[in-house]
Every structure is written in structure tokens, then in C-alpha cells.
Amino acid sequence: MLKAGDLRDTHRLTWFAAALTLGMVLTFIAQRFGVPAAFLGLLLIPLAVFAVPAAIRQVMGLSSALRMRLAWWHGLWLLLLLSSLTFRVRTSEAIEDAPVDTWAAYRIALVGIVALFLGVRLALRRTTWVGSLFRGLPGVLAIYALVCAASTAWSSYPAWTLYRSLEYGVDLALLAAILATVESAETYRTLFDWTWALYVLLVSSICVGVLVWPGEALQPSPGLIGTALTGVLPAIPANTVGELGAVVAIVALARLLLTSGDPPNHTFYSLLLLGGLVTLILSQTRSAIAGFLLGAGLLLFLAKKTTLWVSAIIASLLILASRAGDLLGAYFLRGQTPELFASLSGRVDWWEAGWQAFLTSPLTGLGAYTARFAVLAKIGESETSTIHNTYLEVLVGTSFWGLVPVLVALIATWWILIGCVRNYPRNSCERQMALEAAAVLAVVSVRSLFTTHLIAHPSLSFLLLVGYAEFLRRHRSQRRPTGGWVPAVNQP
């Protein structure tokens, strides 16, 4: 049997051998690829040797805990995400010539399966979700969906308007069914974990694309980095890649700041934060970066992490005042001229065209979801699917009749989440989830100025947060602490 002194000597010898081996590997890398590569190896090799195995063990524990709590609605939530994946890009003219191709049929089939499943459960009285659909925040968004469906009567592309309206209605119906089923914050938290897990898998698919198809995944782009990260299979544009990275990073940051317990899984969340930030930066998505910064600042402020919050502000000011501020400026310009940057990469021209189109039918709009045909195709942007602004897209399609419920749902979600942070006990599950939700909502809100993800199928992140706000509203009379936030059942 080894004595204590012998054991210590063995540990020291092991560490010495590991350090010697690492030094030899780094020396080889420096001689073969240069000093910068050796420095990068100095960071990544210990990470791969020590952090990654620990993170894998934590992921397996988190996945096992989540798997035991999955329900039927988690599967339908997955089908909605799968139906939104893109495997080809079509122009507006191609859609008008052949509205239903193979991949469109795939999308319709998955949405149809979700609708059929919900219909069967309703008919069998397993889940009576109709009342839940027309109540509270889902009811507000249901009004928007009904307005969209009604606009089919005067739409410039009736079939497109009707299908997209019904598709959004199916998304809302599933959310309503979940709310009619879930009875506790801990159960709703599994939907948080499931959604973030799916987002992590999407980010992982982007990483696989870089390894397998680097020429397609790393698109040439002017600017400081020179490339823009995109998804290959499925096809994910750089802006969406940036939003996924921002959401994953903000969730990881929230879990690091707010979780406690044994084990804390900090290694996995730290790597997740790093991966999300790298994805965000390589995508060069400026609005997603702004959303992440706003979400991180809001998280630190609401969680009363005063020291971190003040330190972050001071560090930001010092960076901006130094030469690093010039590098950041060059990064954000992305090689564009000041004029192009001021036009938000040409989006201002799209918005002006959209506003002029709205003025031609200010009382009714041109039909929901038709901006790509009625506006963008006419100015030569036939491959652009939306006008890149949620509120203008709604205004062009449904006028103020659709815009009001969308704004009410967004503002009410913010109001309820902030109210939960203020009114629920500090260590309660509800408050911890509200903090995370508010940080993600900051990302979603900023991105809504440049995307239509609030109203587009399947807008999982927005509906997830709306659903949680509605859950809090329905259970606001039951403000009893449910215990600390136990990360052992969380899956990011």
C-alpha cells in the first residue's frame, strides 16, 4: 500500500510528466506553425484535456435528468423546430411558380402532424387547449393570427397568407396546450431546457459545417475578420447564426450567475458561454451582439450583481478609450462605408419601400406575410424572405389591426417578467427563470428590429418567453417559494 508521502510524490511526478509533454508538444507546434499557433495550443490543449471531459460528464447528467421529464409536448415542440429548418433557398418568383416543392411539403407535413395530434387530444378531451388559446397573452397573439387569416380576403397572395397564418396558429395552439398541461414552474422549466438544448444542437451543426464544408460555412466577408459564419446543413444565414450564439451565450451566463447546488455544472456552462460568444463574433451579426450586451447588462442589474455590473461598465469604457476601441469600430463597420453602415446594410431602403407600400392600403394592409412579394420582389430583392423588421412587416401585411396585439404581447411579457423578478422570493424557481427569460427577451427584442422572428414560424424563443409570462400570470396568486434552482434537472 502506498503511503501518503509516496502518493504525493506520485502526483507530483504525474504533473511533471504532463507539463513536460505539454511543453514538447507546444515546442513542436511553435516550430511547425509559429508562435501564435503555440499560444493558441497553450489555451486549447489544457481545455481539451481537463475541461472537456468534465463538461461531457456534466452534459450526460443533465441530459439524463431532462430525458426522464420529457412529455408529449416536448416532441411536438421539436417537430415545429424541424419544420422551420431550411435546406434550400428559393426566390419569390420560384415560390409563385411552384408554391409546394419537396421541402415545402416536408414543412407542411410536420406542421400538419402537430395540428393533427393537438386535434386528436382535443377530441378525446385529453388536453382541452381551446380555452387556454383564447386567454391571456396567447389570446392576444391569437387575435393577431385571426387578423392575419382575415387578411386573406384582400391579400396580394391569398394562399401564402392563409397558410402562414394557419401555421402561426398551430404554434400558438401548441403553446396553449402546454400551458393547459403544466402546473408548476419546475415543469415549465423543462421547456426552457429543451429549447436551449435544441439551440445548442443547431450551433453544433454549424460547427460541423465548418469542419466538413469550410468553404461554404465561412463565407468571405469584408471587414476585420474577413469571414462570416453560416450554417450549411441546414442552411442558416449569418444573422440567425449570430442570434443563436447570443441566446446560447446569455443562457449559459445566466446559469453560471444564478445556479447553485451540487454539482453546479459550471465547467459545461463556461464552455457553452465560450462557444456561444465565438459563434456570435464569427457571425459578425451586429444586432445580435447588441442584444447580447443588453441582455447581459440587464441580467447583472436585475440579479443585483452590482460589482460585476459596475466592473463591466468600467471595463467597457476603458476598452473604448484605448486602441482596442478602434479595432471594435473596424469590426462593427465590417468593411462597409459609413453611408452603407448608416443605411443598416441597405435595410433602410427596404423599410422606406415597405412604408410606401403600407401607405397604399393604410386601413387593411396588403395581406399578412406578403411583404416579400408586394415590396421586396418589386425592388429586386427576390431572395430576401422578409422586410427585416417585425413591426413594419406586420404593418405592411395587416395595418394597425395586427400591430397592436403584437406590441401588447411583447410589452406585457416584459412587464410580467420584471414584476416576477421584483415580487418573488430571491431563491425561488420562478424568479430565477424570470431573470433568464428577461435576458433572452432582451436579445429577442433587439433582433425584432431586424428580423420577423416574433411572428414567423416557429419563433420558439419568443413563444417560450410569452408562455412563461402567461404561466406566471395564471399562477400569480400562488407566490410561495418552490426552492432554489437546482441545475441537476437543467439542460441548456
Side-chain angles (χ1 to χ4, degrees):
M1 174 179 278
L2 288 175
K3 298 180 181 180
D6 295 334
L7 190 60
R8 285 195 298 269
D9 291 339
T10 302
H11 286 167
R12 289 170 184 169
L13 184 60
T14 302
W15 279 108
F16 175 77
L20 181 62
T21 304
L22 178 61
M24 294 174 63
V25 171
L26 292 176
T27 301
F28 171 78
I29 293 175
Q31 292 176 346
R32 184 72 180 271
F33 302 103
V35 175
F39 179 74
L40 184 62
L42 180 62
L43 298 176
L44 295 182
I45 291 175
L47 186 70
V49 172
F50 299 107
V52 172
I56 291 174
R57 288 194 299 270
Q58 293 170 10
V59 168
M60 293 177 64
L62 293 168
S63 301
S64 177
L66 177 62
R67 187 169 58 250
M68 292 187 294
R69 304 190 67 187
L70 293 180
W72 58 269
W73 36 272
H74 291 96
L76 298 186
W77 198 255
L78 171 62
L79 289 182
L80 290 184
L81 176 68
L82 293 176
S83 70
S84 70
L85 300 182
T86 302
F87 298 94
R88 53 85 180 96
V89 178
R90 293 200 294 171
T91 63
S92 300
E93 293 81 5
I95 294 174
E96 291 180 306
D97 292 339
V100 183
D101 64 357
T102 301
W103 289 114
Y106 155 84
R107 174 176 177 141
I108 293 171
L110 291 184
V111 175
I113 291 171
V114 175
L116 178 63
F117 197 95
L118 291 174
V120 169
R121 291 192 69 89
L122 181 65
L124 297 177
R125 296 184 179 180
R126 299 286 299 275
T127 307
T128 54
W129 49 263
V130 174
S132 180
L133 175 61
F134 294 100
R135 176 185 173 194
L137 296 182
V140 173
L141 289 176
I143 293 174
Y144 165 72
L146 291 174
V147 170
C148 290
S151 70
T152 302
W154 59 84
S155 173
S156 57
Y157 195 161
W160 184 266
T161 295
L162 180 61
Y163 173 72
R164 294 296 297 272
S165 302
L166 294 176
E167 193 175 54
Y168 193 69
V170 172
D171 298 345
L172 293 176
L174 176 55
L175 179 63
I178 294 172
L179 288 170
T181 304
V182 171
E183 296 181 352
S184 69
E186 287 87 349
T187 303
Y188 197 94
R189 185 171 58 205
T190 64
L191 188 59
F192 271 57
D193 300 333
W194 183 238
T195 304
W196 307 147
L198 297 178
Y199 279 21
V200 170
L201 289 176
L202 285 178
V203 172
S204 300
S205 76
I206 296 167
C207 297
V208 171
V210 173
L211 297 175
V212 180
W213 306 282
E216 298 177 46
L218 299 172
Q219 292 290 323
S221 174
L224 189 64
I225 295 181
T227 59
L229 181 62
T230 61
V232 179
L233 190 68
I236 305 176
N239 287 335
T240 304
V241 169
E243 184 172 346
L244 288 171
V247 170
V248 167
I250 207 72
V251 169
L253 180 62
R255 300 289 170 96
L256 286 170
L257 291 174
L258 304 175
T259 57
S260 60
D262 184 27
N265 303 304
H266 281 180
T267 302
F268 171 64
Y269 289 130
S270 298
L271 291 181
L272 198 62
L273 174 60
L274 177 62
L277 289 176
V278 170
T279 302
L280 174 59
I281 293 170
L282 291 180
S283 72
Q284 298 194 72
T285 308
R286 293 175 291 213
S287 58
I289 293 173
F292 171 80
L293 293 176
L294 177 61
L298 183 65
L299 178 64
L300 293 174
F301 178 76
L302 292 178
K304 298 182 179 180
K305 305 289 184 179
T306 308
T307 303
L308 289 175
W309 185 56
V310 173
S311 300
I313 293 176
I314 294 175
S316 300
L317 293 176
L318 291 176
I319 290 173
L320 291 175
S322 66
R323 295 186 60 182
D326 297 333
L327 291 176
L328 288 176
Y331 172 81
F332 272 90
L333 274 177
R334 288 192 331 212
Q336 297 176 342
T337 63
E339 292 76 17
L340 184 58
F341 178 77
S343 70
L344 302 177
S345 302
R347 288 186 181 89
V348 171
D349 296 333
W350 303 350
W351 298 346
E352 289 176 351
W355 179 253
Q356 293 302 319
F358 162 70
L359 293 178
T360 63
S361 298
L363 295 180
T364 60
L366 304 176
Y369 303 103
T370 60
R372 72 175 302 174
F373 306 102
V375 178
L376 296 174
K378 292 182 178 180
I379 60 175
E381 298 290 342
S382 61
E383 291 188 1
T384 306
S385 59
T386 72
I387 209 165
H388 283 218
N389 182 283
T390 294
Y391 315 102
L392 187 57
E393 180 90 15
V394 174
L395 203 60
V396 170
T398 60
S399 187
F400 297 100
W401 309 107
L403 183 61
V404 170
V406 171
L407 288 175
V408 168
L410 178 61
I411 295 171
T413 300
W414 270 113
W415 182 268
I416 294 171
L417 292 178
I418 299 300
C420 175
V421 173
R422 294 177 57 188
N423 298 325
Y424 276 79
R426 183 177 181 84
N427 292 324
S428 67
C429 175
E430 291 86 351
R431 185 178 186 274
Q432 303 284 12
M433 291 175 62
L435 283 166
E436 182 178 304
V440 175
L441 187 57
V443 177
V444 173
S445 297
V446 172
R447 287 287 293 152
S448 71
L449 299 173
F450 305 94
T451 69
T452 58
H453 290 176
L454 265 62
I455 57 165
H457 170 79
S459 62
L460 293 187
S461 53
F462 180 58
L463 292 182
L464 172 73
L465 305 177
V466 169
Y468 182 59
E470 176 62 14
F471 170 84
L472 292 172
R473 191 193 69 82
R474 295 182 184 184
H475 295 77
R476 60 187 173 185
S477 61
Q478 303 173 9
R479 292 183 178 175
R480 285 174 290 188
T482 56
W485 209 27
V486 183
V489 297
N490 289 343
Q491 167 70 16

